[in-house]
């Protein structure tokens, strides 16, 4: 029990800290992409350090802002909505494996909060539940535009939920398990004796569909129809201060969780190629044996590096493409991604039966 | 009647008409500077030159009389050239200080330059230097550089006021308008010079530099400061979006409407008392209904109910004769008519009095001795303009309604003050905040004539209608509105007061009832 | 020398005294006229004599008298215009100095003809000597009964007053003269109405020049036909030409109307001083357009000079020789008119001063190329567009000088 | 299908362009951060508060009122700027100047800079060249809205 609590605390702290600094990363990355410098004014006793205090400043600002509820709205529900979204996304981190085992004093600790045997379903279910926050906020704000935003958001999320689920069927078919630890375990094997048996090599189409659907799930720019600051008024218009901050934060958490899922499902999770429990065994011959602690460290670092990369990629996409039109968005989901994912399942099935 | 052709279009005018007037009738404006309707033509500005068929050179439109079959051309090359030439001459010696000139925006010279000039100045020489700021009396300031020597001012003082303070001095380009030694202008019509001056040579201290005239709006009204009832324009500032303007009314100007010969000499002018006595419209205005017992600004309904209740109580107790009313001749015909209907006819009161008239010295031209606007109207409506009989007014009186509209001081009515405390309920209708307002139980703010519509009957028996120019300050409403709602409140002749929504509705009733107003 | 009519006795000493004048036959005609003729006869005689006004405009005097309404209750006035302000003119002064009684005789006859009982002699203030001489002559004539109540017992009354002006050029203009006489500022009046109908104190008024009136006794003495024969058929009699400038013998010459200008300059006035070449002639006072040497072979009467775009004016001939810079002339002209403009109407008030300022600038050597065009434009803007003839009088010489001596003026600008 | 490929290709190309910008800029930024000087600097805009962009000569910045030689305002209170101002942010009250050559001077001259749209019409309209917008002051933010109401003394200094 205590062990699980400590692991959960570690995971959630890591998760939240990373999400926090993802805001900084997004600002900086977009700035560098656009030949700018980005946020660098926030300082602490004159130290700026590339604007690393900016997220803290933002947080303080959000927290000290006025907390208001619009007239004629349900105060409780209005307050509840952002926490709902936040909670469902935050919880998903508990199923993600950061490494294999850590042996401390002969005792074995899994580097995963909880290894559910329906891990994938659990994550999908929780992500789907976070829609309630969106719908609730849109409805409870007592504002027809937020209501529209909320409805659009829910329509979008439900549509892409299908493609998201279907794209994962392929993975489940090639790695016959719903447990994340097992899926990662399958990926430690080698293909043709040298290529890591990562999901990306077995399910390239599945990866693309998953990436797109997942990005749509995160409601960020090419798919940011529920918010659409420049054309419609989003579902969280009536929110301010900390509650608004929670929505923003949830967005970044989603980015992070998608990066984690991508890593875990398609890029071998915490696996470093050719690193085994006792060290490296390169396919071209030659070993490099390492103590257990170093191996685990390598694994955790590798996992984080992969996650950072996918975060970077998502931010890159978000700052590169313009937004879809709403009908295009729905067309894309229903007429392209879903058939494609069905085709992916069929093709996988055919290939596997060969 | 003579038929003449102006720019080839035929028009019939009276014999003896000048070409300029005939053209004006035909809708063609011939520019002129020195000519003014009120004076015989002077012919010195040379702006009104026109071409007349058969004449070797250009003729003056302002002085040439029409002949049968005369063909006049006002827009030929030659004429335009002549106008331009004259403008060029005038502007050569005219200082270009339009930015600080109060006339800018309504300046004849500016208008004509826009219409007929539009040239670059060739004048490379030194302009004549003359005095820019000469005090010529009565707050008038003469700028000799701006003067174009139309001599309208000289002629006005010579022909209209017959005082002749101004004259032309020096010769040629050094000619200038001036006063004789220290005989400053001192007559009651000096303000007209400012309006008369086609350029900004004469300005008055009252308006000088206060604002620019293009910010002002004009509203037609009737001067209430004496019983002549001159027709005036109230020029007021509608205000800026963000900045507070110190006052609303900036000046009064004359409104020329009566052009028949009998009025000719008088119709163009207003006296200085009317022209400069406008400050009452913005000063010390009562804005809130004050009900003494409530000790806070009251709402209109409360005041109406209070008033109606007091009267109705007297009606039930059959003690109506314990009510007194004091009216004044500043009220419009409509208001006096309503007052008479309610107090004299409906309630059959005996104690209806008029406050003492504001009086002053009269002069030969316009100003009358009676400085209230509507004495004649009150008489025609059926009131006797009587002095207040103190004994009668205060004897056993329980309810006293006083209408006090004079912007001047309180005058002899202050004698009533000590007696007021005898009366149980005192109600005052007044547009002004005065000290004596405190003595009343209910003070109802009303409007000055510039803010309400209605009509005055002037000393000659002419009924002059006017509309509201300014918007009412605060809660203040016109007396007739109060009287209409009072009429409804006391329920004596309720139906008569329905449908009285505008002053003219009242006037229509008046027309039916009183021969004079038909 | 042709026969002198007006000035025939002017060389008699003390002619201004009534005794001397009567010795020479003065007032004889007056006695005859008053006693034997009717007013209409006098008027028709003067009309027949085609006596043109000698003041400048050249309007026939008899016709002018005819404009005065006959049957009105109002008093009528005669104003004698002795306000000789035109530069170069000194003929009236010549008459008034030498023979004031001739003028008085003419005045009485005119008043008799028109039915006037009050006459004013408006004399410019600078002519103090002549004014005194006129006043003395009037008192002499009154003493003899030629002026005053019941003249020569014919029952005709006439009161003659000498009024001194203040020396303004504009007061030579008839309506300005009237204003001045009324005691107001000497501003010209708007015409119409003309003074013959509404004049002095709003009453019918005849205004004539000194020389014109001085001619009346001669006409009455010798008859209209004889008078016409002396000059031209439409412009009868002789005129006094005051020649000044660079001639050998400047002075007043009485010559028949129609004498050639060349003859006047070369024969009577003796030609140009010290053998210089002639540059230009101003034929009728400063307000008349200038004539170049090749134009001076011209008959000196109103019509011919008008044809040559000039005018006879008051017959004051100013002769300029080649030494006179034309810019000086222009400067004098513009200076004079800008100084003498009354300031009432715009073109004259400002136009003249403007031209003067430009000319002064050219004179200082700061002229610009376009200045001459500008002067021409300004002058033509003044011409014909002013209240009184002063504007024309200013514009015409300026225009003619600029037109005829453009090259010289341009050389001055360039230099 | 071919069109779809075209889209796909362009999508990838877009990402490549932005990624290239990111990587190149990051590379040079990093070099600069560690003090390694290269010919090429990482592309970036002006480092605003430390480094001010050069203001063009005709740039319209904060107003100022010109003075006469004797230190009085050149403004004659003709109110033309007030008339022409499209955002109605100028207010002038005139008063009589004892000098007859000047006659009129502004006793109150207010510019509500929070409303000003910096169109420069007031400068164009001014017949006396009394108002100019050439101070180069572009940082006009204030903590208090009242401080955005500029008065005569401020505009003259």
């Amino acid at each position: 029990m205590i062990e699980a609590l400590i692991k959960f605390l570690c995971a959630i702290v890591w998760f939240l800290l990373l999400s926090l600094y993802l805001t900084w990363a997004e600002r900086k990355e977009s700035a560098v992409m656009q030949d700018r410098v980005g946020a660098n004014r926030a300082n602490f006793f004159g130290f700026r350090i590339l604007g690393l205090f900016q997220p803290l400043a933002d947080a303080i600002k959000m927290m000290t802002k006025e907390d208001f509820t619009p007239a004629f709205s349900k105060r409780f529900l209005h307050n509840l909505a952002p926490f709902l979204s936040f909670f469902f996304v935050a919880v998903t981190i508990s199923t993600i494996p950061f490494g294999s085992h850590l042996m401390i004093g002969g005792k074995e600790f899994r580097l995963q909060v909880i290894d559910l045997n329906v891990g994938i379903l659990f994550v999908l279910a929780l992500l789907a539940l976070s829609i309630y926050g969106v719908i609730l906020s849109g409805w409870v704000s007592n504002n027809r535009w937020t209501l529209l935003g909320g409805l659009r958001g829910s329509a979008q999320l439900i549509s892409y939920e299908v493609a998201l689920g279907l794209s994962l069927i392929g993975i489940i078919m090639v790695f016959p398990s719903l447990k994340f630890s097992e899926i990662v375990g399958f990926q430690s094997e080698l293909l043709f004796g040298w290529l890591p048996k990562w999901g990306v090599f077995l399910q390239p189409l599945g990866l693309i569909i998953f990436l797109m659907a997942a990005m749509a799930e995160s409601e960020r720019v090419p798919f940011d129809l529920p918010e659409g600051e420049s054309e419609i008024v989003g579902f969280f218009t009536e929110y301010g201060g900390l509650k608004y901050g929670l929505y923003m934060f949830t967005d970044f958490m989603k980015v992070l969780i998608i990066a984690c899922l991508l890593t875990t499902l398609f890029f071998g999770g915490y696996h470093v190629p050719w690193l085994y429990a006792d060290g490296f065994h390169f396919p071209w011959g030659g070993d490099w044996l390492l103590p257990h602690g170093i191996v685990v460290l390598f694994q955790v670092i590798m996992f984080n590096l992969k996650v950072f990369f996918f975060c970077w990629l998502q931010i890159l996409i978000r700052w590169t493409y313009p937004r879809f039109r709403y009908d295009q968005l729905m067309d894309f989901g229903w007429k392209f991604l879903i058939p494609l994912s069905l085709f992916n399942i069929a093709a996988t099935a055919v290939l596997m039966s060969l | 009647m003579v038929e003449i052709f102006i720019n080839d279009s035929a028009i019939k005018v009276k014999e003896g008409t000048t070409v300029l007037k005939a053209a004006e009738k035909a809708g063609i404006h011939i520019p002129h500077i020195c000519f003014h309707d009120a004076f015989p033509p002077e012919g010195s500005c040379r702006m009104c030159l026109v071409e007349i068929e058969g004449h070797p050179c250009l003729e003056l439109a302002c002085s040439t009389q029409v002949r049968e079959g005369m063909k006049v051309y006002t827009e030929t090359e030659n004429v335009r050239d002549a106008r331009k030439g004259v403008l060029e001459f005038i502007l050569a010696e005219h200082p270009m200080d339009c930015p600080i000139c109060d006339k800018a925006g309504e300046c004849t010279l500016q208008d004509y330059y826009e219409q007929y000039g539009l040239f670059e100045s060739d004048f490379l020489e030194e302009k004549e230097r003359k005095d820019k700021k000469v005090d010529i009396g009565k707050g008038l300031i003469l700028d000799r550089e701006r003067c174009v020597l139309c001599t309208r001012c000289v002629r006005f003082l010579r022909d209209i006021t017959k005082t002749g303070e101004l004259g032309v001095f020096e010769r040629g380009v050094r000619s200038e308008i001036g006063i004789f030694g220290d005989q400053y202008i001192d007559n009651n019509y000096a303000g007209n010079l400012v309006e008369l001056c086609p350029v900004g040579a004469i300005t008055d201290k009252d308006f000088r530099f206060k604002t620019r005239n293009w910010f002002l709006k004009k509203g037609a009204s009737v001067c209430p400061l004496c019983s002549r009832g001159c027709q005036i324009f109230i020029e007021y500032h509608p205000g800026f979006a963000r900045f507070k303007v110190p006052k609303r009314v900036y000046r009064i100007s004359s409104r020329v409407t009566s052009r028949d010969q009998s009025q000719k000499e008088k119709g163009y002018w207003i006296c200085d008392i009317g022209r400069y006595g406008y400050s009452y419209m913005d000063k010390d205005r009562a804005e809130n209904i004050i009900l003494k017992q409530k000790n806070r600004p009251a709402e209109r309904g409360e005041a109406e109910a209070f008033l109606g209740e007091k009267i109705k109580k007297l009606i039930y107790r059959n003690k109506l004769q314990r009510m007194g009313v004091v009216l004044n001749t500043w009220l419009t015909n409509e208001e006096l008519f309503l007052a008479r209907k309610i107090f004299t006819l409906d309630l059959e009161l005996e104690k209806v009095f008029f406050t003492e008239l504001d009086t002053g010295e009269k002069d030969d031209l316009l100003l009358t001795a009676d400085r209230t606007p509507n004495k004649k109207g009150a008489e025609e409506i059926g009131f006797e303009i009587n002095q207040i009989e103190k004994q009668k007014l205060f004897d056993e009186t329980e309810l006293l309604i006083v209408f006090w509209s004079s912007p001047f001081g309180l005058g002899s009515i202050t004698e009533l003050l000590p007696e007021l405390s005898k009366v149980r309920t005192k109600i005052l209708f007044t547009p002004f905040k005065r000290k004596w307002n405190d003595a009343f139980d209910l003070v109802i703010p009303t409007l000055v004539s510039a803010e309400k519509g209605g009509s005055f009957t002037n000393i000659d028996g002419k009924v002059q209608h006017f509309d509201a120019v300014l918007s009412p300050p605060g809660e203040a409403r016109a007396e007739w509105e109060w009287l209409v709602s009072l009429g409804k409140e006391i329920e004596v002749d309720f139906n008569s007061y329905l449908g009285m929504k505008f002053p003219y509705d009242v006037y229509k009733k008046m027309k039916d009832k009183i021969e004079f107003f038909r | 020398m042709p026969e002198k009519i007006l000035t025939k006795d002017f060389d008699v000493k003390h002619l201004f005294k009534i005794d001397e004048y009567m010795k020479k036959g003065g007032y004889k005609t007056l006695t005859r006229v008053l006693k034997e003729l009717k007013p209409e006869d006098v008027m028709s005689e003067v009309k027949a004599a085609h006596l043109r006004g000698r003041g400048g405009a050249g309007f026939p005097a008899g016709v002018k008298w005819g404009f005065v309404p006959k049957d009105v209750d109002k008093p009528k006035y005669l104003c004698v215009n002795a306000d000789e302000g035109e530069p170069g003119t000194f003929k009236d002064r010549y008459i008034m100095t030498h023979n004031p009684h001739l003028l008085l005789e003419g005045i009485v006859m005119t008043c008799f003809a028109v039915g006037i009982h009050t006459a004013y002699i408006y004399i410019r203030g600078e002519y103090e000597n002549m004014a005194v001489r006129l006043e003395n002559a009037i008192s002499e004539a009154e003493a003899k009964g030629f002026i005053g109540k019941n003249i020569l017992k014919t029952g005709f009354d006439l009161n003659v007053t000498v009024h001194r002006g203040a020396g303004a050029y504009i007061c030579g203009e008839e309506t300005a003269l009237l204003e001045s006489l009324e005691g107001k500022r000497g501003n010209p009046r708007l015409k119409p109405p003309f003074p013959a109908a509404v004049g002095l104190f709003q009453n019918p008024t005849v205004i004539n020049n000194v020389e014109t009136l001085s001619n009346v006794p001669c006409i009455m003495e010798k008859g209209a036909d004889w008078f016409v024969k002396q000059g031209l058929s439409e412009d009868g009699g002789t005129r006094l030409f005051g020649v000044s400038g660079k001639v050998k013998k400047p002075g007043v010459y009485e010559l028949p109307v129609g004498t050639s200008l060349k003859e006047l300059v070369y024969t009577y006035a003796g030609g140009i001083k010290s053998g210089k070449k002639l540059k230009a002639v101003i034929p009728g006072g400063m307000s008349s357009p200038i004539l170049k040497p090749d134009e001076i072979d011209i008959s000196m009467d109103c019509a011919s000079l008008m044809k040559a775009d000039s005018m006879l004016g008051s017959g004051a001939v100013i002769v300029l020789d080649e030494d006179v810079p034309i810019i000086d002339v222009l400067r004098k002209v513009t200076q004079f008119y800008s100084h003498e403009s009354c300031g009432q109407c715009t073109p004259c008030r400002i136009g003249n001063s403007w031209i003067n300022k430009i000319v002064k600038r050219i004179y200082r050597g700061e002229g610009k190329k376009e200045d001459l065009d500008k002067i021409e434009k300004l002058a033509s803007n003044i011409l014909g567009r002013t209240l009184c003839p002063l504007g024309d009088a200013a514009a015409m010489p300026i225009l003619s000088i600029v037109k005829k001596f453009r090259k010289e003026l341009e050389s001055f600008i360039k230099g | 299908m071919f069109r779809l490929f075209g889209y796909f290709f362009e999508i990838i190309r877009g990402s490549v362009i932005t990624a290239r910008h990111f990587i190149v800029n990051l590379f040079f930024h990093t070099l600069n951060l560690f003090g390694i000087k290269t010919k090429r600097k990482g592309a970036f805009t002006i480092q605003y508060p430390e480094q001010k962009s050069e203001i063009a000569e005709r740039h319209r910045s904060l107003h100022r009122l010109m003075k006469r030689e004797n230190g009085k305002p050149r403004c004659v209170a003709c109110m033309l700027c007030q008339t022409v101002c499209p955002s109605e942010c100028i207010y002038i009250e005139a008063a009589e100047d004892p000098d007859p050559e000047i006659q009129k001077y502004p006793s109150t001259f207010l510019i509500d800079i929070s409303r000003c749209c910096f169109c420069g019409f007031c400068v164009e309209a001014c017949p006396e060249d009394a108002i100019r917008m050439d101070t180069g002051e572009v940082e006009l933010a204030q903590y208090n809205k009242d401080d955005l109401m500029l008065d005569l003394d401020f505009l003259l200094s």
Side-chain angles (χ1 to χ4, degrees), chain B residues 42-46 60 63 78 82 88-90 93 122-123 125-126 128 148-149 168 170-173 175, chain C residues 168 185 190 339-347 349-351 353-354 357-358 361 374 377 385-387:
Chain B
E42 171 82 358
S44 67
C45 71
R46 317 307 284 182
L60 283 178
S63 70
N78 200 1
E88 200 174 358
F89 284 139
I90 294 177
E93 292 289 354
D122 287 338
F123 190 76
E125 289 19 85
E126 284 264 307
E128 298 287 324
V148 296
L149 281 168
V168 183
E170 293 282 347
R171 278 195 305 177
V173 77
S175 309
Chain C
R185 182 184 160 87
L190 198 59
H339 182 260
E340 289 298 342
S341 165
C342 73
Q344 190 181 11
C345 69
T346 313
R349 177 179 74 235
I350 295 166
S353 118
W354 189 346
K357 281 174 181 173
I358 297 179
R361 190 155 49 78
K374 189 74 206 164
K377 207 192 129 203
R385 288 170 189 173
T386 51
L387 187 66

Side-chain angles (χ1 to χ4, degrees), chain B residues 54-294:
Chain B
H55 287 232
C57 51
L58 302 175
E59 292 288 337
L60 283 178
C62 68
S63 70
T64 311
Q65 294 186 350
V66 293
R67 270 180 288 104
E68 180 67 42
M70 187 187 244
K71 283 183 176 162
V72 181
Y73 298 95
T74 65
E75 290 296 328
T76 60
E77 196 60 41
N78 200 1
V79 172
R80 257 181 279 154
D81 191 49
R83 280 175 193 162
K84 214 170 177 172
V86 172
L87 270 177
E88 200 174 358
F89 284 139
I90 294 177
L91 290 172
E93 292 289 354
H94 192 80
M96 294 303 143
D97 57 359
C98 301
I100 57 164
C101 177
D102 277 326
K103 203 77 176 183
E106 53 185 13
C107 171
T108 325
L109 208 50
Q110 277 184 335
D111 292 351
Y112 290 160
Y113 177 76
E114 291 292 323
Q115 286 172 40
Y116 309 105
L118 292 177
F119 46 76
E120 294 280 319
S121 176
D122 287 338
F123 190 76
L124 308 168
E125 289 19 85
E126 284 264 307
K127 288 189 188 209
E128 298 287 324
R129 296 312 304 257
K130 290 179 192 164
D131 298 333
K132 296 282 292 173
K133 202 170 158 185
V134 185
D135 184 12
I136 53 174
K138 268 222 134 184
L140 301 180
I141 293 169
L142 171 68
D143 185 329
R144 286 180 172 148
E145 285 188 2
R146 286 183 199 150
C147 177
V148 296
L149 281 168
C150 66
T151 65
R152 280 186 189 182
C153 49
V154 179
R155 286 178 281 154
F156 175 79
L157 293 175
R158 194 182 64 203
D159 299 348
I160 307 296
T161 65
K162 308 217 164 51
T163 47
E165 290 98 336
L166 286 178
V168 183
F169 296 83
E170 293 282 347
R171 278 195 305 177
V173 77
R174 288 159 287 112
S175 309
E176 59 190 31
I177 303 288
I179 51 171
F180 301 94
D182 60 349
Q183 294 173 21
Y184 292 99
I185 295 177
D186 181 27
N187 63 61
N188 192 27
Y189 295 87
N192 288 307
L193 297 181
V194 181
E195 222 176 296
L196 209 54
C197 186
V199 291
I202 298 181
T203 48
D204 58 359
K205 273 182 190 148
D206 182 65
F207 182 66
R208 197 168 152 94
F209 302 159
K210 292 288 184 301
T211 185
R212 301 315 298 263
N213 56 52
W214 53 80
F215 292 132
L216 299 181
K217 281 191 171 166
K218 269 186 178 185
S221 192
V222 171
C223 178
L225 295 187
C226 84
S227 57
R228 178 73 60 193
C230 295
Q231 293 176 318
I232 53 166
F233 281 117
I234 294 174
E235 299 195 27
Y236 64 100
H237 201 309
F240 294 117
R242 293 270 294 181
F243 301 98
K244 203 169 160 5
V245 185
K247 54 181 181 176
R248 291 184 299 175
V249 181
Y250 274 80
R251 63 175 173 185
I252 304 289
S253 53
S254 65
R255 175 160 63 103
V256 182
T257 47
S258 51
R259 294 210 170 176
D260 54 312
Q261 286 300 316
S262 61
Q263 282 281 319
K264 183 153 188 173
E265 279 196 346
K266 298 176 176 177
Y268 297 97
W269 324 117
I270 56 174
C271 72
D272 285 0
I273 288 173
R275 184 183 296 272
Y276 298 124
Y278 57 80
S279 60
Y280 68 90
M281 297 188 206
D282 286 319
K283 221 169 73 186
D284 293 339
R285 293 300 303 278
E287 291 182 9
N288 295 316
I289 303 170
I290 293 165
L291 197 54
K292 216 182 201 175
Q293 67 189 47
K294 289 271 159 79

Side-chain angles (χ1 to χ4, degrees), chain A residues 95-101 110-112 115 120 171 174-190 196-199 202 260-272 275-276 299 302-303 306:
Chain A
T95 58
I96 305 294
F98 291 80
S100 55
H101 309 283
R110 291 193 66 81
L111 292 181
Q112 189 179 13
D115 191 16
I120 290 181
I171 286 288
V174 291
F175 306 129
S177 171
L178 293 174
K179 261 186 164 174
F180 279 115
S181 57
E182 285 181 11
I183 290 172
V184 175
F186 285 126
Q187 292 184 66
S188 67
E189 292 166 21
L190 291 180
K197 195 182 170 184
W198 286 358
L202 299 176
C260 289
L261 285 175
L262 274 167
T263 310
T264 312
L265 296 174
F266 292 95
F267 290 89
Y270 49 80
H271 272 293
V272 187
L275 178 70
Y276 298 93
Q299 284 176 341
M302 195 64 194
F303 176 80
K306 287 175 186 172

